[in-house]
Amino acid sequence: MKIEFAPLNIPLRRRLQTASVVQWVFSFLALAQCCLAGFILLCLSRWWLLAMLYAGWLYLDRDTPTTGGRRLHWVRRWTVWQYFRDYFPISLIKTVDLDPKHNYLFGFHPHGVLVAGAFGNFCTEASGFALLFPGLTPYLLMLPFWFRIPFFRDYIMCGGLVSSEKSSASYIVSRPGGGHVAVVAVGGATESLDARPGVLTLQVLNRKGFIKLALKHGAQLVPVFSFGENELFDQMENPAGSPLRRFQDNMQKIMGVAMPLFHARGVFQYSFGLLPYRKPIHTVVGRPIPVVQTPSPSREDIDALHKLYMEGLNQLFEEHKADYGIPEDKHLTFI
């Protein structure tokens, strides 16, 4: 394999963009393990009392990830996130104004490998969420597993990440006064195993839990499509039924997290590595679907709203695909 090395005369701005993405990938892939190892080492050192005090804090603070988290606005505005945005680049597109008197449930599609668009747009202010949607506060839902890891949990909550437990999402969309947005990557970990360039297949046909949640609390549903999300990484071939896919499915059942074997480019060369390709991400926020609060929705209520949601998502894609380089003959496939 011929290796294509990066030129030496790259502007400092682009080097800083690459460095920002290196730390982001590290945070996703290794920071949690480092935090856990650090906590264990602290327990075994002469500073073990600090570890015990922190463990007590963890117990007292155990409900925070399911009750809105603990965001720090200065973390969301770090300069590093501006370089992260410009690496791809990432942009957030508003189609209509959203009334801050309501609570919303954003369905984010596709999941991609590392949900870069969702993180950049809803966990930082780099793309200007607060300016585009004044009065709204976004919360990106993440697997509960990650909120059990010492130190790491506190860091990810700073950006607005919260647990994806049902009680957590319910807390957000039932807040009085409105102005709160629960962002759900509907396809989940399963969809990440099929995230590769050109794929327009979404796991949504049997995903109805978020529909039921919206009905129970009267939260307006908003389809969100992130053009370019699947273009960031290649994956090893893992068709359904293959030994690799069976292994990945079994690991997901055991651990609760997916293990896509992805690759793209490196820091100093463009031929292999774990950094995403420099491909633009355009995250388009669609029109809200009004929802009448139904405390005990029937199957028919859920199915009817689910159908409306899929129609809205498909319409959003069809209306904007030409703007972002998707051929006219390409369409979404729901599975």
Side-chain angles (χ1 to χ4, degrees), residues 39-59:
F39 179 73
I40 293 173
L41 290 175
L42 190 63
C43 289
L44 299 177
S45 72
R46 61 179 180 175
W47 302 100
W48 62 269
L49 183 58
L50 290 178
M52 295 302 101
L53 290 173
Y54 181 76
W57 161 252
L58 284 181
Y59 177 77

Side-chain angles (χ1 to χ4, degrees), residues 17-289:
Q17 291 169 6
T18 301
S20 71
V21 173
V22 168
Q23 67 83 26
W24 174 73
V25 172
F26 171 79
S27 296
F28 258 91
L29 301 182
L31 182 58
Q33 295 89 324
C34 291
C35 288
L36 181 59
F39 179 73
I40 293 173
L41 290 175
L42 190 63
C43 289
L44 299 177
S45 72
R46 61 179 180 175
W47 302 100
W48 62 269
L49 183 58
L50 290 178
M52 295 302 101
L53 290 173
Y54 181 76
W57 161 252
L58 284 181
Y59 177 77
L60 295 174
D61 195 53
R62 63 190 183 280
D63 292 332
T64 299
T66 59
T67 53
R70 184 171 47 249
R71 71 180 56 224
L72 293 177
H73 291 287
W74 70 277
V75 173
R76 289 173 58 88
R77 291 184 169 86
W78 278 351
T79 302
V80 68
W81 304 131
Q82 297 175 24
Y83 288 113
F84 173 80
R85 172 201 63 200
D86 294 339
Y87 173 91
F88 299 95
I90 295 174
S91 59
L92 183 64
I93 296 93
K94 178 177 73 172
T95 57
V96 296
D97 291 330
L98 297 181
D99 188 348
K101 295 179 182 178
H102 299 290
N103 289 321
Y104 297 89
L105 201 160
F106 283 12
F108 182 87
H109 309 268
H111 184 285
V113 173
L114 296 180
V115 284
F119 178 85
N121 287 308
F122 305 122
C123 294
T124 81
E125 285 299 331
S127 59
F129 181 91
L131 295 176
L132 287 171
F133 301 101
L136 297 184
T137 302
Y139 304 81
L140 180 60
L141 275 64
M142 191 176 186
L143 289 173
F145 169 82
W146 299 110
F147 295 92
R148 302 188 183 106
I149 299 176
F151 306 126
F152 183 73
R153 67 187 291 275
D154 301 293
Y155 173 64
I156 59 178
M157 281 195 291
C158 289
L161 284 155
V162 295
S163 173
S164 60
E165 294 175 66
K166 185 186 299 184
S167 61
S168 176
S170 296
Y171 178 88
I172 294 167
V173 297
S174 64
R175 298 286 296 275
H180 299 275
V181 180
V183 183
V184 181
V186 176
T190 303
E191 194 173 271
S192 71
L193 298 176
D194 292 316
R196 50 176 50 87
V199 169
L200 294 171
T201 301
L202 304 179
Q203 296 263 355
V204 69
L205 284 181
N206 296 316
R207 306 286 175 136
K208 298 182 181 180
F210 72 107
I211 300 291
K212 183 177 180 179
L213 185 73
L215 280 167
K216 288 183 68 174
H217 299 287
Q220 295 196 9
L221 278 170
V222 180
V224 178
F225 195 88
S226 195
F227 292 89
E229 192 74 39
N230 280 345
E231 309 302 313
L232 305 182
F233 297 96
D234 290 306
Q235 279 200 58
M236 291 184 63
E237 290 298 323
N238 59 341
S242 66
L244 175 57
R245 188 54 173 265
R246 289 198 298 269
F247 171 77
Q248 290 174 318
D249 290 340
N250 288 334
M251 291 302 294
Q252 183 183 339
K253 292 176 182 177
I254 295 171
M255 300 177 60
V257 295
M259 298 180 65
L261 298 182
F262 61 90
H263 57 92
R265 54 158 291 186
V267 177
F268 302 112
Q269 46 73 33
Y270 303 136
S271 301
F272 61 89
L274 297 178
L275 295 191
Y277 296 122
R278 283 182 178 263
K279 299 286 186 179
I281 301 172
H282 305 284
T283 303
V284 184
V285 180
R287 305 179 189 88
I289 300 170

